[in-house]
């Protein structure tokens, strides 16, 4: 059934991209906000740069660079290395993760910068290891920031049209446009209602 397939694909893409963005954004936020990282300001700006570029341009660049006839394949061809074509679900998830993790990075970093350092210091004086202090003191304080960034990532992924369309992935936005363009407006309305329902569920989970 097309309806269930599109629903499953859309939800899976949101879940994968959100998880990937958290796995990338949170460590980067910790490194730039709390670690003694050289040129921390430079890395902070660079880490946020993907927000300045539409994700569909990233999808186009990845498709142009990979595959047997891609630009990257031509460059490394003398080395005897082949570059597989990155497209489909994996390609869409990769591109969207690379272009949305800054949402998690920025909200988590803001939470870390507003954290009272004396709380962590007090935990360390009570014989807590660095990891234990992070897990018991820092992490509970920055969870709202992580959740806020994850919400933005989930909503962006759910609403994005260009990247899934370039990668050949049928998600809500792509199917709604295709059905409406083919004058199958009843089907487009059904998918639109499902998209709104999934959005409501994401907002309800974040509010919890």
């Amino acid at each position: 059934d097309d309806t269930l397939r599109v629903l499953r694909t859309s939800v899976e893409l949101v879940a994968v991209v959100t998880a990937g963005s958290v796995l990338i954004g949170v460590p980067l936020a910790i490194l730039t906000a709390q670690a003694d990282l050289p040129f921390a300001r430079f890395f902070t700006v660079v880490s946020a740069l993907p927000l300045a570029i539409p994700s569909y341009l990233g999808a186009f660049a990845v498709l142009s660079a990979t595959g047997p006839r891609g630009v990257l394949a031509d460059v490394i061809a003398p080395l005897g290395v082949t570059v597989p074509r990155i497209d489909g679900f994996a390609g869409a998830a990769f591109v969207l993760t690379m272009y949305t993790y800054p949402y998690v990075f920025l909200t988590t970093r803001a939470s870390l910068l507003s954290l009272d350092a004396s709380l962590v210091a007090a935990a360390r004086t009570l014989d807590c290891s660095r990891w234990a202090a992070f897990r018991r003191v820092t992490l509970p304080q920055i969870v709202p920031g992580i959740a806020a960034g994850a919400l933005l990532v989930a909503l962006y992924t759910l609403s994005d049209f260009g990247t899934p369309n370039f990668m050949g992935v049928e998600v809500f936005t792509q199917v709604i446009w295709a059905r409406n363009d083919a004058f199958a407006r009843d089907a487009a309305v059904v998918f639109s209602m499902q998209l709104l329902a999934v959005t409501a569920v994401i907002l309800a989970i974040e509010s919890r």
Side-chain angles (χ1 to χ4, degrees):
D1 184 67
D2 286 344
T3 303
L4 292 178
R5 177 174 54 81
V6 172
L7 173 62
R8 182 174 63 251
T9 302
S10 298
V11 171
E12 288 175 351
L13 186 62
V14 168
V16 171
V17 173
T18 302
S21 297
V22 170
L23 291 176
I24 296 174
V26 173
L28 281 176
I30 295 171
L31 285 174
T32 57
Q34 290 192 330
D36 188 14
L37 184 68
F39 307 107
R41 185 183 298 273
F42 169 77
F43 285 112
T44 299
V45 174
V46 170
S47 297
L49 276 181
L51 291 180
I53 306 171
S55 60
Y56 70 87
L57 292 181
F60 179 77
V62 169
L63 289 173
S64 300
T66 61
R69 298 181 180 179
V71 176
L72 183 60
D74 292 340
V75 172
I76 64 175
L79 301 176
V81 179
T82 59
V83 180
R85 186 171 177 82
I86 301 177
D87 58 5
F89 183 91
F94 171 75
V95 171
L96 284 170
T97 299
M98 291 298 100
Y99 279 82
T100 58
Y101 79 81
Y103 289 115
V104 179
F105 166 72
L106 292 174
T107 56
T108 304
R109 191 172 188 275
S111 297
L112 287 168
L113 293 177
S114 63
L115 180 67
D116 187 355
S118 63
L119 297 176
V120 179
R124 295 301 303 275
T125 60
L126 296 174
D127 293 331
C128 282
S129 65
R130 186 181 296 274
W131 166 247
F134 174 81
R135 179 173 54 84
R136 299 175 62 180
V137 179
T138 304
L139 185 58
Q141 298 295 319
I142 65 173
V143 161
I146 297 174
L151 172 65
L152 294 174
V153 171
L155 294 178
Y156 183 98
T157 303
L158 193 61
S159 66
D160 189 44
F161 170 79
T163 301
N165 194 46
F166 269 119
M167 293 294 177
V169 181
E170 284 194 324
V171 294
F172 282 123
T173 51
Q174 193 267 349
V175 172
I176 291 169
W177 178 84
R179 296 294 190 277
N180 186 68
D181 193 56
F183 299 101
R185 294 185 178 177
D186 290 342
V189 169
V190 172
F191 283 112
S192 298
M193 296 301 294
Q194 287 188 334
L195 175 59
L196 291 174
V198 174
T199 303
V201 170
I202 292 174
L203 292 173
I205 292 174
E206 195 278 338
S207 68
R208 289 285 182 178

